[in-house]
Amino acid sequence: AQTVTQSQPEMSVQEAETVTLSCTYDTSESDYYLFWYKQPPSRQMILVIRQEAYKQQNATENRFSVNFQKAAKSFSLKISDSQLGDAAMYFCAYKGSNYKLTFGKGTLLTVNP
Amino acid sequence: DTEVTQTPKHLVMGMTNKKSLKCEQHMGHRAMYWYKQKAKKPPELMFVYSYEKLSINESVPSRFSPECPNSSLLNLHLHALQPEDSALYLCASSQEAGLAGGANTGELFFGEGSRLTVL
């Protein structure tokens, strides 16, 4: 079974600074997707960024980028120029061939003004 | 329209009540999901529907009964719940249940959730 591990239960960052959230996963599959989802206190889960395992190039979306290391099974999220609105719970998630989206336990990000 | 709409947003029910949670999407997605989420925890998968057929039941107690009347609607019928069933219930949809292919991005779109309290 696939597992997703987020080793940082909580992180904090100063506004305008950069923060990196860690995620590792375990799988025997070669084809899969990885996601970072954000869940603000208002609770709706929204997609931050997506990475296809077959793509070597790291995904970027504006201030958000990932460092995808397939051999190491690592998928970290970098948030640049952090904003107050980035404060949320961030979940790393894995989707393989079995229809399931497997979530890590989450990292609660606080942004300090 | 990239929305998944869930109703009601809040529900309080007694242990003997029967109620239903509803979910609707108009994105043409063929996979729909129910998740249960406790405070400060990740969502836990309950059910997956693919092309209106139940594909995954994660050993959910029978007091939760899912229904997919058509490709746009997903219901979760609740009966004889326990206080420990109090949680946020999230509905989600995706283009397909399996891995992405073609224009399928694999992404799940989530609704805002229904906050359930069982007294």
Side-chain angles (χ1 to χ4, degrees), chain B residues 43-119:
Chain B
E44 299 173 10
L45 182 64
M46 299 175 72
F47 304 103
V48 179
Y49 274 83
S50 178
Y51 287 85
E52 301 160 47
K53 294 194 185 319
L54 183 63
S55 297
I56 293 179
N57 176 341
E58 288 286 88
S59 302
V60 178
S62 59
R63 57 186 184 267
F64 295 91
S65 176
E67 178 195 20
C68 190
N70 60 56
S71 60
S72 300
L73 295 174
L74 184 66
N75 298 321
L76 186 63
H77 302 298
L78 314 171
H79 174 55
L81 295 192
Q82 304 297 311
E84 59 265 29
D85 296 323
S86 298
L88 182 67
Y89 288 84
L90 295 170
C91 175
S93 70
S94 64
Q95 287 173 295
E96 300 282 343
L99 287 182
N104 182 1
T105 64
E107 174 186 355
L108 267 65
F109 292 78
F110 286 86
E112 291 190 18
S114 293
R115 174 76 62 191
L116 174 66
T117 302
V118 181
L119 301 177

Coordinates of all heavy atoms in Angstrom, one line a residue, chain B residues 43-119:
Chain B
P43 N -8.2 14.0 5.2 CA -9.5 13.3 4.8 C -9.3 11.8 4.7 O -8.2 11.3 4.3 CB -9.8 13.9 3.4 CG -9.0 15.2 3.4 CD -7.8 15.0 4.2
E44 N -10.3 11.0 5.1 CA -10.2 9.6 5.0 C -11.3 9.2 3.9 O -12.4 9.5 4.0 CB -10.6 8.9 6.3 CG -9.7 9.2 7.5 CD -10.2 8.7 8.8 OE1 -11.2 7.9 8.7 OE2 -9.7 9.0 9.8
L45 N -10.8 8.4 3.0 CA -11.7 8.0 1.9 C -12.8 7.0 2.4 O -12.5 6.1 3.2 CB -10.9 7.2 0.8 CG -11.7 6.8 -0.4 CD1 -12.3 7.9 -1.2 CD2 -10.8 5.9 -1.3
M46 N -14.0 7.3 2.0 CA -15.1 6.4 2.3 C -15.6 5.6 1.1 O -15.6 4.4 1.2 CB -16.3 7.2 2.9 CG -16.0 8.0 4.1 SD -17.4 9.0 4.6 CE -18.6 7.8 5.2
F47 N -16.0 6.3 0.1 CA -16.5 5.6 -1.1 C -16.0 6.3 -2.4 O -15.7 7.5 -2.4 CB -18.1 5.7 -1.1 CG -18.8 5.2 0.1 CD1 -19.3 6.0 1.0 CD2 -18.9 3.8 0.2 CE1 -19.9 5.5 2.2 CE2 -19.6 3.3 1.3 CZ -20.1 4.2 2.3
V48 N -15.9 5.5 -3.5 CA -15.6 6.0 -4.8 C -16.6 5.5 -5.8 O -16.9 4.2 -5.8 CB -14.2 5.6 -5.3 CG1 -13.9 6.2 -6.7 CG2 -13.1 6.1 -4.3
Y49 N -17.2 6.4 -6.5 CA -18.1 6.0 -7.6 C -17.4 6.3 -9.0 O -16.8 7.4 -9.1 CB -19.4 6.7 -7.6 CG -20.4 6.1 -6.7 CD1 -20.4 6.3 -5.3 CD2 -21.4 5.2 -7.3 CE1 -21.4 5.6 -4.5 CE2 -22.3 4.6 -6.5 CZ -22.3 4.8 -5.1 OH -23.3 4.2 -4.3
S50 N -17.4 5.3 -9.9 CA -16.9 5.5 -11.2 C -17.9 5.2 -12.2 O -18.4 4.0 -12.2 CB -15.6 4.7 -11.4 OG -15.1 4.9 -12.7
Y51 N -18.3 6.1 -13.1 CA -19.4 5.9 -14.0 C -20.6 5.4 -13.3 O -21.3 4.4 -13.8 CB -18.9 5.0 -15.2 CG -18.0 5.6 -16.1 CD1 -16.6 5.6 -15.8 CD2 -18.4 6.2 -17.3 CE1 -15.7 6.3 -16.7 CE2 -17.5 6.8 -18.1 CZ -16.2 6.9 -17.8 OH -15.3 7.5 -18.7
E52 N -20.9 6.0 -12.2 CA -22.2 5.8 -11.4 C -22.2 4.4 -10.8 O -23.3 4.1 -10.2 CB -23.4 6.0 -12.3 CG -23.5 7.4 -12.9 CD -24.4 7.5 -14.1 OE1 -25.5 7.0 -14.1 OE2 -24.0 8.1 -15.1
K53 N -21.1 3.7 -10.8 CA -21.1 2.4 -10.1 C -20.1 2.5 -8.9 O -19.0 3.1 -9.0 CB -20.6 1.3 -11.0 CG -21.6 1.0 -12.1 CD -21.3 -0.3 -12.8 CE -22.2 -0.6 -14.0 NZ -23.6 -0.2 -13.8
L54 N -20.5 1.9 -7.8 CA -19.6 1.9 -6.6 C -18.4 1.1 -6.9 O -18.4 -0.1 -7.2 CB -20.4 1.4 -5.4 CG -19.6 1.4 -4.1 CD1 -19.3 2.8 -3.7 CD2 -20.4 0.7 -3.0
S55 N -17.2 1.7 -6.8 CA -15.9 1.1 -7.1 C -15.2 0.7 -5.9 O -14.4 -0.3 -5.8 CB -15.1 1.9 -8.0 OG -15.7 2.2 -9.3
I56 N -15.3 1.6 -4.9 CA -14.5 1.4 -3.6 C -15.4 1.7 -2.5 O -16.1 2.7 -2.4 CB -13.3 2.3 -3.6 CG1 -12.2 1.8 -4.6 CG2 -12.6 2.2 -2.2 CD1 -11.0 2.7 -4.6
N57 N -15.5 0.8 -1.5 CA -16.1 1.0 -0.2 C -15.0 0.6 0.8 O -14.6 -0.5 0.9 CB -17.3 0.1 -0.1 CG -18.0 0.2 1.3 OD1 -17.4 0.6 2.3 ND2 -19.2 -0.2 1.4
E58 N -14.6 1.7 1.5 CA -13.5 1.4 2.4 C -13.9 0.9 3.8 O -13.7 1.5 4.9 CB -12.7 2.8 2.7 CG -11.9 3.2 1.5 CD -10.6 2.4 1.3 OE1 -10.7 1.3 0.6 OE2 -9.6 2.7 1.8
S59 N -14.7 -0.2 3.7 CA -15.2 -0.9 4.9 C -15.9 0.1 5.8 O -15.8 0.1 7.1 CB -14.0 -1.5 5.7 OG -13.3 -2.4 4.9
V60 N -16.8 0.9 5.2 CA -17.5 1.9 5.9 C -18.8 1.2 6.6 O -19.4 0.4 5.9 CB -18.0 3.0 5.0 CG1 -18.9 4.0 5.7 CG2 -16.8 3.7 4.4
P61 N -19.1 1.5 7.8 CA -20.3 0.9 8.5 C -21.5 1.1 7.6 O -21.7 2.2 7.0 CB -20.4 1.6 9.8 CG -19.0 2.1 10.1 CD -18.4 2.4 8.7
S62 N -22.5 0.2 7.7 CA -23.7 0.2 6.9 C -24.6 1.4 7.3 O -25.6 1.6 6.6 CB -24.4 -1.1 7.0 OG -24.8 -1.3 8.3
R63 N -24.4 2.1 8.4 CA -25.2 3.2 8.7 C -24.9 4.4 7.8 O -25.7 5.4 7.8 CB -25.0 3.6 10.2 CG -23.6 4.0 10.6 CD -23.5 4.2 12.1 NE -22.1 4.6 12.5 CZ -21.2 3.8 12.9 NH1 -21.5 2.5 13.0 NH2 -20.0 4.3 13.3
F64 N -23.9 4.3 7.0 CA -23.6 5.2 5.9 C -23.9 4.5 4.6 O -23.4 3.4 4.3 CB -22.1 5.6 5.8 CG -21.7 6.4 7.0 CD1 -21.2 5.8 8.1 CD2 -21.8 7.8 7.0 CE1 -20.8 6.5 9.2 CE2 -21.4 8.5 8.1 CZ -20.9 7.9 9.2
S65 N -24.8 5.1 3.8 CA -25.3 4.4 2.6 C -25.1 5.4 1.4 O -25.9 6.4 1.3 CB -26.7 3.9 2.7 OG -27.2 3.4 1.5
P66 N -24.2 5.1 0.5 CA -24.0 6.1 -0.6 C -25.0 5.8 -1.8 O -25.5 4.6 -1.9 CB -22.6 5.8 -1.1 CG -22.4 4.4 -0.8 CD -23.2 4.1 0.4
E67 N -25.2 6.8 -2.6 CA -26.1 6.6 -3.8 C -25.7 7.6 -4.8 O -25.4 8.7 -4.5 CB -27.6 6.9 -3.4 CG -28.5 6.8 -4.6 CD -29.9 7.4 -4.2 OE1 -30.0 8.3 -3.3 OE2 -30.8 7.1 -5.0
C68 N -25.6 7.1 -6.1 CA -25.2 7.9 -7.2 C -26.4 7.9 -8.2 O -26.3 7.0 -9.1 CB -23.9 7.5 -7.8 SG -23.2 8.6 -9.0
P69 N -27.4 8.7 -8.1 CA -28.5 8.7 -9.0 C -28.2 8.9 -10.5 O -28.8 8.4 -11.4 CB -29.4 9.8 -8.5 CG -28.9 10.1 -7.1 CD -27.5 9.8 -7.1
N70 N -27.2 9.8 -10.7 CA -26.7 10.1 -12.1 C -25.3 10.6 -12.0 O -24.8 10.8 -10.9 CB -27.7 11.0 -12.8 CG -27.8 12.4 -12.1 OD1 -26.8 13.1 -11.9 ND2 -29.1 12.7 -11.8
S71 N -24.8 10.9 -13.1 CA -23.3 11.3 -13.2 C -23.0 12.6 -12.5 O -21.9 12.9 -12.2 CB -22.8 11.3 -14.6 OG -23.6 12.3 -15.4
S72 N -24.0 13.4 -12.2 CA -23.8 14.7 -11.6 C -24.1 14.7 -10.1 O -23.7 15.7 -9.4 CB -24.7 15.8 -12.2 OG -24.4 15.9 -13.6
L73 N -24.8 13.7 -9.6 CA -25.2 13.7 -8.2 C -24.7 12.6 -7.4 O -24.5 11.5 -7.9 CB -26.8 13.7 -8.2 CG -27.5 14.8 -8.8 CD1 -29.0 14.5 -8.8 CD2 -27.3 16.1 -8.0
L74 N -24.4 12.9 -6.1 CA -23.9 11.9 -5.2 C -24.6 12.2 -3.9 O -24.6 13.3 -3.4 CB -22.4 11.9 -5.1 CG -21.7 10.9 -4.2 CD1 -21.9 9.5 -4.8 CD2 -20.3 11.2 -4.0
N75 N -25.2 11.2 -3.3 CA -25.8 11.3 -2.0 C -25.1 10.4 -0.9 O -24.5 9.4 -1.3 CB -27.3 10.9 -2.0 CG -28.1 11.8 -3.0 OD1 -27.9 13.0 -3.1 ND2 -29.0 11.2 -3.7
L76 N -25.3 10.8 0.3 CA -24.8 10.0 1.4 C -25.9 9.9 2.4 O -26.2 10.9 3.1 CB -23.5 10.5 2.0 CG -22.9 9.6 3.1 CD1 -22.5 8.3 2.5 CD2 -21.7 10.3 3.7
H77 N -26.6 8.8 2.5 CA -27.7 8.6 3.4 C -27.2 8.1 4.8 O -26.3 7.2 4.9 CB -28.7 7.6 2.8 CG -29.2 8.0 1.5 ND1 -30.0 9.1 1.3 CD2 -29.1 7.3 0.3 CE1 -30.3 9.2 0.0 NE2 -29.8 8.1 -0.6
L78 N -27.7 8.8 5.8 CA -27.2 8.6 7.2 C -28.4 8.0 8.0 O -29.5 8.6 8.0 CB -26.8 9.9 7.7 CG -25.9 10.8 6.8 CD1 -25.7 12.2 7.4 CD2 -24.5 10.1 6.6
H79 N -28.1 7.0 8.8 CA -29.1 6.4 9.7 C -28.5 5.8 10.9 O -27.5 5.0 10.8 CB -29.9 5.4 8.9 CG -30.9 4.6 9.7 ND1 -31.9 5.3 10.5 CD2 -31.1 3.3 10.0 CE1 -32.6 4.4 11.1 NE2 -32.1 3.2 10.8
A80 N -29.0 6.1 12.0 CA -28.5 5.5 13.3 C -27.1 5.8 13.5 O -26.3 4.9 13.9 CB -28.8 4.0 13.3
L81 N -26.7 7.0 13.3 CA -25.3 7.4 13.5 C -24.9 7.5 15.0 O -25.8 7.6 15.9 CB -25.0 8.7 12.8 CG -25.1 8.7 11.3 CD1 -24.5 10.0 10.7 CD2 -24.5 7.5 10.6
Q82 N -23.6 7.4 15.2 CA -23.1 7.5 16.6 C -22.4 8.9 16.7 O -22.0 9.5 15.8 CB -22.0 6.4 16.8 CG -22.6 5.0 16.5 CD -23.7 4.7 17.5 OE1 -23.5 4.8 18.7 NE2 -24.8 4.2 17.0
P83 N -22.2 9.3 18.0 CA -21.5 10.6 18.2 C -20.2 10.7 17.5 O -19.7 11.7 17.1 CB -21.5 10.7 19.7 CG -22.7 10.0 20.2 CD -22.8 8.8 19.2
E84 N -19.5 9.6 17.5 CA -18.1 9.6 16.9 C -18.1 9.7 15.4 O -17.1 9.9 14.7 CB -17.4 8.3 17.2 CG -18.0 7.0 16.8 CD -18.9 6.3 17.9 OE1 -19.4 7.1 18.7 OE2 -19.0 5.1 17.8
D85 N -19.3 9.7 14.8 CA -19.4 10.0 13.3 C -19.5 11.5 13.1 O -19.5 11.9 11.9 CB -20.7 9.4 12.8 CG -20.7 7.8 12.9 OD1 -19.6 7.2 12.7 OD2 -21.8 7.2 13.2
S86 N -19.5 12.3 14.1 CA -19.5 13.7 13.9 C -18.1 14.1 13.2 O -17.1 13.7 13.7 CB -19.6 14.5 15.3 OG -20.8 14.2 15.9
A87 N -18.2 14.8 12.1 CA -17.0 15.2 11.3 C -17.5 16.1 10.2 O -18.6 16.4 10.0 CB -16.4 13.9 10.8
L88 N -16.5 16.5 9.4 CA -16.7 17.2 8.2 C -16.7 16.1 7.0 O -15.8 15.3 6.9 CB -15.6 18.2 7.9 CG -15.7 19.1 6.6 CD1 -16.9 20.0 6.7 CD2 -14.4 19.8 6.4
Y89 N -17.8 16.1 6.3 CA -17.9 15.2 5.2 C -17.7 15.9 3.9 O -18.4 16.8 3.5 CB -19.3 14.4 5.2 CG -19.3 13.5 6.4 CD1 -19.6 13.9 7.6 CD2 -18.9 12.1 6.2 CE1 -19.6 13.0 8.7 CE2 -18.9 11.2 7.2 CZ -19.2 11.7 8.5 OH -19.2 10.8 9.6
L90 N -16.7 15.5 3.2 CA -16.3 16.1 1.9 C -16.6 15.3 0.7 O -16.4 14.1 0.7 CB -14.7 16.3 1.9 CG -14.2 17.3 2.9 CD1 -12.6 17.2 2.9 CD2 -14.6 18.7 2.7
C91 N -17.2 15.9 -0.3 CA -17.5 15.3 -1.6 C -16.4 15.8 -2.5 O -16.0 17.0 -2.4 CB -18.9 15.7 -2.0 SG -19.3 15.1 -3.7
A92 N -16.0 15.0 -3.5 CA -15.1 15.4 -4.5 C -15.4 14.7 -5.8 O -16.1 13.7 -5.8 CB -13.6 15.0 -4.1
S93 N -14.9 15.3 -6.9 CA -15.1 14.7 -8.2 C -13.8 14.8 -9.0 O -13.0 15.7 -8.7 CB -16.3 15.3 -8.9 OG -15.9 16.7 -9.4
S94 N -13.7 13.9 -10.0 CA -12.5 14.0 -10.9 C -13.0 13.5 -12.3 O -14.0 12.8 -12.4 CB -11.3 13.2 -10.4 OG -11.6 11.8 -10.3
Q95 N -12.2 13.8 -13.3 CA -12.6 13.5 -14.6 C -12.8 12.0 -14.8 O -13.7 11.5 -15.3 CB -11.6 14.0 -15.6 CG -11.6 15.5 -15.8 CD -10.5 16.0 -16.7 OE1 -9.3 15.9 -16.3 NE2 -10.8 16.5 -17.8
E96 N -11.8 11.2 -14.2 CA -11.9 9.8 -14.2 C -11.4 9.3 -12.9 O -10.6 10.1 -12.2 CB -11.0 9.2 -15.3 CG -11.3 9.6 -16.7 CD -12.5 8.8 -17.3 OE1 -12.9 7.8 -16.7 OE2 -13.1 9.3 -18.3
A97 N -11.7 8.1 -12.5 CA -11.2 7.6 -11.2 C -9.8 7.2 -11.3 O -9.0 7.2 -10.3 CB -12.1 6.5 -10.7
G98 N -9.4 6.7 -12.4 CA -8.0 6.2 -12.6 C -7.0 7.2 -12.9 O -7.2 8.4 -12.7
L99 N -5.8 6.8 -13.2 CA -4.8 7.7 -13.5 C -5.1 8.5 -14.8 O -5.9 8.2 -15.6 CB -3.4 7.0 -13.8 CG -2.8 6.4 -12.5 CD1 -1.5 5.7 -12.9 CD2 -2.6 7.5 -11.5
A100 N -4.4 9.7 -14.9 CA -4.7 10.6 -15.9 C -4.4 10.0 -17.3 O -3.5 9.2 -17.4 CB -3.9 11.9 -15.7
G101 N -5.1 10.5 -18.3 CA -4.8 10.1 -19.6 C -5.4 11.2 -20.5 O -6.4 11.7 -20.2
G102 N -4.7 11.6 -21.5 CA -5.1 12.7 -22.4 C -5.3 14.0 -21.6 O -4.4 14.4 -20.9
A103 N -6.5 14.5 -21.6 CA -6.8 15.8 -20.9 C -7.1 15.6 -19.4 O -7.2 16.5 -18.7 CB -7.9 16.5 -21.6
N104 N -7.1 14.3 -19.0 CA -7.5 14.0 -17.6 C -6.3 14.4 -16.7 O -5.2 13.9 -16.9 CB -7.8 12.5 -17.5 CG -8.2 12.2 -16.1 OD1 -8.2 13.0 -15.2 ND2 -8.4 10.9 -15.9
T105 N -6.5 15.3 -15.8 CA -5.4 15.8 -15.0 C -5.2 15.0 -13.7 O -4.2 15.2 -13.0 CB -5.6 17.3 -14.6 OG1 -6.8 17.3 -13.7 CG2 -5.8 18.1 -15.8
G106 N -6.1 14.1 -13.4 CA -6.0 13.3 -12.2 C -6.5 14.1 -10.9 O -6.6 13.5 -9.8
E107 N -6.7 15.4 -11.1 CA -7.0 16.3 -9.9 C -8.4 16.0 -9.4 O -9.4 15.7 -10.1 CB -7.0 17.7 -10.4 CG -7.4 18.7 -9.3 CD -7.5 20.1 -9.9 OE1 -7.1 20.3 -11.0 OE2 -7.9 21.0 -9.1
L108 N -8.5 16.0 -8.1 CA -9.8 15.9 -7.4 C -10.3 17.3 -7.1 O -9.5 18.1 -6.5 CB -9.8 15.1 -6.1 CG -10.2 13.6 -6.2 CD1 -9.2 12.9 -7.1 CD2 -10.3 13.0 -4.8
F109 N -11.5 17.6 -7.4 CA -12.1 18.9 -7.0 C -13.0 18.7 -5.8 O -13.9 17.8 -5.8 CB -13.0 19.5 -8.1 CG -12.1 19.9 -9.3 CD1 -11.6 19.0 -10.2 CD2 -11.9 21.2 -9.6 CE1 -10.9 19.4 -11.3 CE2 -11.1 21.6 -10.7 CZ -10.6 20.7 -11.5
F110 N -12.8 19.4 -4.7 CA -13.5 19.2 -3.5 C -14.6 20.3 -3.3 O -14.5 21.4 -3.7 CB -12.6 19.3 -2.3 CG -11.7 18.1 -2.2 CD1 -10.5 18.0 -2.9 CD2 -12.1 17.0 -1.3 CE1 -9.7 16.9 -2.7 CE2 -11.3 15.9 -1.2 CZ -10.1 15.8 -1.9
G111 N -15.7 19.8 -2.6 CA -16.7 20.8 -2.2 C -16.3 21.4 -0.8 O -15.3 21.0 -0.3
E112 N -17.1 22.3 -0.3 CA -16.8 22.9 1.0 C -17.1 22.0 2.2 O -16.6 22.3 3.2 CB -17.6 24.2 1.1 CG -17.2 25.3 0.2 CD -17.8 26.6 0.5 OE1 -18.3 26.8 1.6 OE2 -17.8 27.5 -0.4
G113 N -17.8 21.0 1.9 CA -18.1 20.0 3.0 C -19.4 20.3 3.7 O -20.0 21.3 3.7
S114 N -19.8 19.2 4.4 CA -21.0 19.3 5.3 C -20.5 18.9 6.7 O -20.0 17.9 6.9 CB -22.1 18.3 4.8 OG -22.6 18.6 3.6
R115 N -20.7 19.9 7.6 CA -20.3 19.7 9.0 C -21.4 18.9 9.7 O -22.5 19.5 9.9 CB -20.0 21.0 9.6 CG -19.7 20.9 11.1 CD -18.3 20.4 11.4 NE -17.3 21.3 10.9 CZ -16.0 21.0 10.8 NH1 -15.6 19.8 11.3 NH2 -15.2 21.8 10.3
L116 N -21.2 17.7 10.1 CA -22.2 16.9 10.7 C -21.9 16.8 12.2 O -20.8 16.4 12.6 CB -22.2 15.5 10.1 CG -23.1 14.4 10.8 CD1 -24.6 14.8 10.6 CD2 -22.8 13.0 10.2
T117 N -22.9 17.0 13.0 CA -22.9 16.8 14.5 C -24.0 15.8 14.9 O -25.1 16.0 14.5 CB -23.1 18.1 15.2 OG1 -22.1 19.1 14.8 CG2 -23.0 17.9 16.7
V118 N -23.5 14.7 15.5 CA -24.5 13.7 16.0 C -24.6 13.8 17.5 O -23.6 13.7 18.2 CB -24.0 12.3 15.6 CG1 -25.0 11.2 16.0 CG2 -23.8 12.2 14.1
L119 N -25.8 14.0 17.9 CA -26.0 14.2 19.4 C -26.4 12.9 20.0 O -27.0 12.0 19.4 CB -27.1 15.2 19.6 CG -26.8 16.6 19.0 CD1 -28.0 17.5 19.2 CD2 -25.5 17.2 19.7

